[in-house]
Amino acid sequence: MEWVLIGAALVAWLIYRGRKQSLAEEAPPRSHRPVQDWSAPTSERIASPQQPWQDPRSHPGRRFTDGSNQWERRPVTASMFAGDSGRQPKAPAKWIASGESVRVAGVSINSGMFYLGASFAGKSGAENCLVDPTCQVGSVRGDPEGKTLPYWPSYQSISPGARRTYLEWLAGGRNDPSIGIGYVFIFFYGLERRLFIDEARTEAPALAAEVRRLLALHGENYSFKGYASKFLDVADLMANPDISRPALSPDLRSGYEMPLSVRLHLGRKLGSKLPFDSTDALLWVLSLPDTQLRTPAARCFEELAELWHVRFASRYPDGLKVNSPRTKIKIEYRAASGGFGGRVDLSDSELGPLPDVAALSAPIDGLRDLLNACTDELAAYSRLLGKKPEAKGTVEAAFLLPKEILTSGSGTGAAALKRVDDLFGDHRIAGVKVTRLTQALGMEIPPRGKLGAGLCNQIGALMDKLDVGFEPDRRYGSRGLEADGYILLFKAKEGAPVDGESAAYAAARAMVEVAALAAVSDGKVEPSEFESIKADIRSFPGVGGVERGRLMAYASTLLRDPAAQQSAIKKLGNIGADARASVVRAALSAVLADGHAAPDEVKFLERLYKALGYPVEDLYSALHRGSVALDEPVAVAPETRTTGVPIPAQPPASSSGGVRIDHGRLERIKSETSAVSELLAGIFIEEEPTASPPQVREPVAAEGKFAGLDGAHATLLSLLAESGGLDRQAFEDEARKLRLLPDGAIETINEWGFDRFDEPLVDGDERVSVAEHLRDKLQQVRVEA
């Protein structure tokens, strides 16, 4: 019996052994080698241990970048990875929503937004995003850089230590920017599946927001940036199917294609046959795959966009007209996991399939040239901000901006422009201290003394960009600015530039200096004296309107600033010979116009001759003759002969043979100057540089007429208002009766009108009248007066 049992056991053992060998021959041997990227060449797969590791997503192989092969990879499923212990999946996959708490392998995860479970039931697509709780997890973190992760990673395929790293990354809110990009892709696979397989359209905004956050942390990886950008295009379209214009950004470019949002917006414009405006054109050129923004454009993007709008409007005043291509917009989404893909319908409800602007190339070169030109204009400004970021918004930075930005009233130049505008108030002319202007410009200057030439020129260049002129302006022959001096600001295009070296302008400036010096000689300036100077400027030959305006501003500064008067005298010696002769003739003509020459006037002329380099003896000769004789005789007044006046006999020669002086004649010359003795008195007092400026008398209010206007101008304005207007000749006659210069009277009345109504009051060439819409306001002012 024992032998029977032994034989039966032996037969059973032989049968079992044969069956085991048969099973072993059917099953392939288990490989214990690490997972490799078999898409790479053999030389890349079998790398020497000494070779540095490179992330395959930053340096993809040929299969990843060559045509459609990147999609021809076998989907990864949970059945391929049953877990380290070989256990079969038990729990179905579940989406863990944002904010939902779970615990996996002892790790508490509160951030959600991933799939948890052993397998997906009844749905296609890859399962490489699934956090399988049946997989073994290491006790410590391993491979945080993701060096051991395969080319297309999955949670099931990575090592236990890498699973621990991934779980702790999820628990930490996915905020570690140094985590290996493979872990980011595993998480990203789940977001793709949630939006496109589960069709969670209501979650599209939240999913897109999370991808944008990850893109900000890991956007330097070109592969992830490409997939994430494509995801955002479609997610945004799902969240908001209405086509809208995307915001301008220096980071519009994404991957090898234009952003879908830009293509849709511009495609709708093309389909509607509408021209592109400046924003459309900038969106187009910024989103092109081969557009590379240079440093000035990226650093100063707001200024670039503002300058672009100005330059584009100048080049394309009616917008950019673009011919619509035949190619229509098509998009096929291929998941980064390779588990699914599909086509998205992009037809417009009204226009149907939209033209694809990405198929166009004709206008691109012109737009790129414009972008480069704008970038070049901001180069100096960008360099300053690169060295001193805190300089943004200062006058130093504003000085480097193109004029169009500085005067646009918005953006970077707005602050500087507003501070200067505040100096004007409601007027177009403003007289202020130099210190007040520099404070408005944010400049620091010494409390006293002259400003350097470089600083004066810098102020001038900045004011030119603000369309503000000023005097004294050393660039046009005036003296430099004094820290405690006076400056007259006036609004003028490009700062009212003139040719300060032209002979006509230099002569006119010298005439203004002499006339202004004469006006302030008695320590006060009458309004009629300033009107006389302005009339002389208007009648001076060879100067235009801009030159006249600047000369009037220059005269105003001379009348108010004693230091400017002293400087003007010194500069008179540097003018040309013809101009000096004109100055002397003008001065003598003014002095002798009434036939008198007072001692103070003679003193003034003596100093003037000395300043201009003429012998003082020539002055005495001219005074004796009653005319000017320098290079040639100059007639002061035409000769008028009368009858009945005998010619005195020639006196007999003195017995001594010397020159006889007519003391009576000299006394008569001295006594005949009393009428204008105050005109030029004390003009060359050099020892009083800090004396207070002469006071300009304010016009006296006309009783019962218009407050702020003197009697003559108020009377003339009343006549215009009551008569409904006068023709030019009648107006000039009335002005002369009131001892007013016609053009000067119009200017004075209009200046008063600007003060009251912010606009000119009187206008007309052939007929002078009060503006019709201001008649009622004028009547109210008159009643109030």
Side-chain angles (χ1 to χ4, degrees), residues 265-274 276 322-325 355-357 360:
H265 168 69
L266 297 182
R268 188 166 189 176
K269 279 236 170 178
L270 290 171
S272 302
K273 301 186 184 305
L274 296 174
F276 290 178
V322 181
N323 294 326
S324 179
D356 194 352
V357 72
L360 295 174

Side-chain angles (χ1 to χ4, degrees), residues 719-731:
L719 181 61
L720 288 174
E722 294 170 359
S723 64
L726 298 172
D727 59 42
R728 185 68 185 190
Q729 187 59 50
F731 173 77

Side-chain angles (χ1 to χ4, degrees), residues 109-130:
I109 305 173
N110 301 317
S111 56
M113 302 188 82
F114 68 95
Y115 287 97
L116 178 64
S119 66
F120 291 103
K123 289 193 176 183
S124 61
E127 297 183 351
N128 45 12
C129 62
L130 184 60

Side-chain angles (χ1 to χ4, degrees), residues 465-528:
K465 290 183 178 181
L466 297 176
D467 286 331
V468 175
F470 66 92
E471 281 290 343
D473 190 337
R474 68 179 305 278
R475 298 174 299 169
Y476 305 120
S478 303
R479 69 188 185 93
L481 295 173
E482 299 268 353
D484 55 349
Y486 171 85
I487 186 171
L488 182 72
L489 308 176
F490 55 94
K491 294 186 177 181
K493 184 178 180 180
E494 298 179 355
V498 298
D499 182 5
E501 302 299 325
S502 70
Y505 187 80
R509 186 174 62 241
M511 181 271 294
V512 167
E513 291 168 344
V514 172
L517 292 172
V520 300
S521 61
D522 58 355
K524 58 182 180 294
V525 180
E526 299 287 349
S528 59

Side-chain angles (χ1 to χ4, degrees), residues 354-638:
L354 296 175
D356 194 352
V357 72
L360 295 174
S361 60
I364 294 300
D365 289 341
L367 295 180
R368 281 204 182 97
D369 291 342
L370 184 59
L371 180 63
N372 287 330
C374 293
T375 302
D376 290 340
E377 290 190 66
L378 293 172
Y381 178 74
S382 173
R383 285 193 294 270
L384 174 65
L385 296 189
K387 297 177 182 177
K388 298 169 54 180
E390 67 278 7
K392 188 177 180 66
T394 65
V395 67
E396 183 181 9
F399 176 68
L400 299 175
L401 285 170
K403 176 185 175 182
E404 291 81 358
I405 297 182
L406 200 58
T407 58
S408 64
S410 63
T412 307
L417 183 63
K418 184 180 184 305
R419 289 195 296 266
V420 175
D421 274 343
D422 289 343
L423 299 177
F424 285 90
D426 297 330
H427 307 288
R428 295 184 61 83
I429 300 174
V432 298
K433 288 288 187 179
V434 173
T435 51
R436 189 177 174 194
L437 173 63
T438 54
Q439 288 172 0
L441 296 177
M443 291 181 169
E444 295 184 1
I445 62 171
R448 293 181 180 82
K450 294 182 179 180
L451 303 187
L455 184 57
C456 291
N457 292 339
Q458 182 181 3
I459 293 174
L462 178 58
M463 300 299 278
D464 289 348
K465 290 183 178 181
L466 297 176
D467 286 331
V468 175
F470 66 92
E471 281 290 343
D473 190 337
R474 68 179 305 278
R475 298 174 299 169
Y476 305 120
S478 303
R479 69 188 185 93
L481 295 173
E482 299 268 353
D484 55 349
Y486 171 85
I487 186 171
L488 182 72
L489 308 176
F490 55 94
K491 294 186 177 181
K493 184 178 180 180
E494 298 179 355
V498 298
D499 182 5
E501 302 299 325
S502 70
Y505 187 80
R509 186 174 62 241
M511 181 271 294
V512 167
E513 291 168 344
V514 172
L517 292 172
V520 300
S521 61
D522 58 355
K524 58 182 180 294
V525 180
E526 299 287 349
S528 59
E529 291 175 324
F530 188 40
E531 290 296 327
S532 177
I533 294 174
K534 291 194 289 185
D536 291 339
I537 293 172
R538 292 190 189 96
S539 62
F540 200 91
V543 294
V546 176
E547 287 85 354
R548 293 191 182 101
R550 181 167 285 282
L551 287 170
M552 290 179 186
Y554 180 44
S556 178
T557 62
L558 287 175
L559 294 174
R560 287 174 167 84
D561 199 334
Q565 298 157 18
Q566 298 299 329
S567 176
I569 279 295
K570 294 178 181 178
K571 286 183 7 181
L572 286 176
N574 298 325
I575 62 177
D578 293 341
R580 291 201 302 271
S582 299
V583 168
V584 170
R585 286 195 294 269
L588 282 171
S589 297
V591 169
L592 299 176
D594 58 355
H596 300 281
D600 290 335
E601 292 175 326
V602 173
K603 183 180 179 181
F604 164 70
L605 292 174
E606 288 174 348
R607 291 183 175 270
L608 179 63
Y609 266 65
K610 183 177 179 180
L612 295 179
Y614 290 118
V616 179
E617 290 77 9
D618 291 351
L619 167 64
Y620 300 142
S621 299
L623 288 174
H624 279 283
R625 292 193 304 269
S627 61
V628 182
L630 295 173
D631 295 332
E632 60 182 7
V634 179
V636 176

